[in-house]
Amino acid sequence: MPLIPILVALLLIIALALSMPILLVLRYRAGTMRRRGRRWSATLNLISLVLSAGLFFWVAAMTTLWVPKAFVYSLTAFLAGSLLGLLGLTLTRWEKTSPMLHYTPNRWLVLVITLAVTTRLLYGLWRVWHAWRNAEANDSWLASAGIAGSMAVGAVVLGYYLSYWAGLRWRLRKI
């Protein structure tokens, strides 16, 4: 009997792994489509991203206890992502109609961010596997698995979207 839940969980993991390419294409298409700028949506996204950033930096600070420089990498990457978000705002196509604002994010920037997250996720899995297998008795496999780099990529994405939604909210305020 306990074999059935294990098989179901294994099949779900395999299905998710096999559906990853189509999910990435759908994520790219959703990220590059033309959208109507709504003030409430921008405000809600901005609030949730501020809360996420606060939680992320708290976790990064705690992770520094086990993984050296995780907080420093995360903070630096967050600042780089914020600058990338400002670049994204300047490269976004804005269409102002009488009462509304429509925007289309830059395709290349969305592609770069999507591929960076995907590449880092795959590299992180590969590195964790090898670090776990080759860890010495006194070494931490967690520290040698590249967790700080993975957190840095997450911080880039978080910084990008936080500054992008803040800029969008500021732009919608002027309408």
Side-chain angles (χ1 to χ4, degrees):
M1 278 301 175
L3 187 61
I4 292 174
I6 293 173
L7 287 175
V8 169
L10 186 63
L11 286 175
L12 285 174
I13 291 171
I14 290 171
L16 181 66
L18 291 177
S19 66
M20 199 56 71
I22 190 72
L23 290 174
L24 286 173
V25 169
L26 291 175
R27 174 68 197 125
Y28 173 74
R29 288 186 65 201
T32 58
M33 62 189 260
R34 181 178 183 254
R35 299 178 191 151
R36 178 180 172 197
R38 294 184 172 95
R39 201 173 291 169
W40 67 267
S41 176
T43 303
L44 185 65
N45 280 326
L46 188 58
I47 290 170
S48 65
L49 282 166
V50 166
L51 292 174
S52 294
L55 181 65
F56 178 81
F57 283 119
W58 181 75
V59 169
M62 292 298 112
T63 304
T64 302
L65 298 173
W66 297 280
V67 180
K69 298 185 180 179
F71 185 77
V72 174
Y73 286 179
S74 297
L75 186 62
T76 306
F78 182 81
L79 293 174
S82 297
L83 292 175
L84 198 60
L86 294 176
L87 176 67
L89 283 169
T90 59
L91 296 177
T92 297
R93 190 173 73 219
W94 304 97
E95 303 169 30
K96 186 175 180 182
T97 58
S98 66
M100 293 181 276
L101 177 71
H102 287 83
Y103 64 98
T104 307
N106 185 279
R107 290 183 179 278
W108 290 104
L109 216 47
V110 172
L111 180 66
V112 165
I113 289 173
T114 304
L115 289 178
V117 170
T118 304
T119 303
R120 186 57 200 183
L121 181 68
L122 293 174
Y123 175 70
L125 290 173
W126 176 80
R127 192 161 172 186
V128 163
W129 174 258
H130 283 289
W132 181 62
R133 285 185 36 207
N134 299 328
E136 299 282 329
N138 296 331
D139 292 341
S140 168
W141 70 269
L142 186 64
S144 64
I147 300 297
S150 295
M151 289 181 74
V153 172
V156 167
V157 173
L158 195 58
Y160 171 81
Y161 282 112
L162 183 67
S163 64
Y164 190 87
W165 282 103
L168 179 64
R169 176 68 177 101
W170 178 76
R171 193 155 188 148
L172 288 171
R173 183 182 54 91
K174 295 181 356 181
I175 293 179

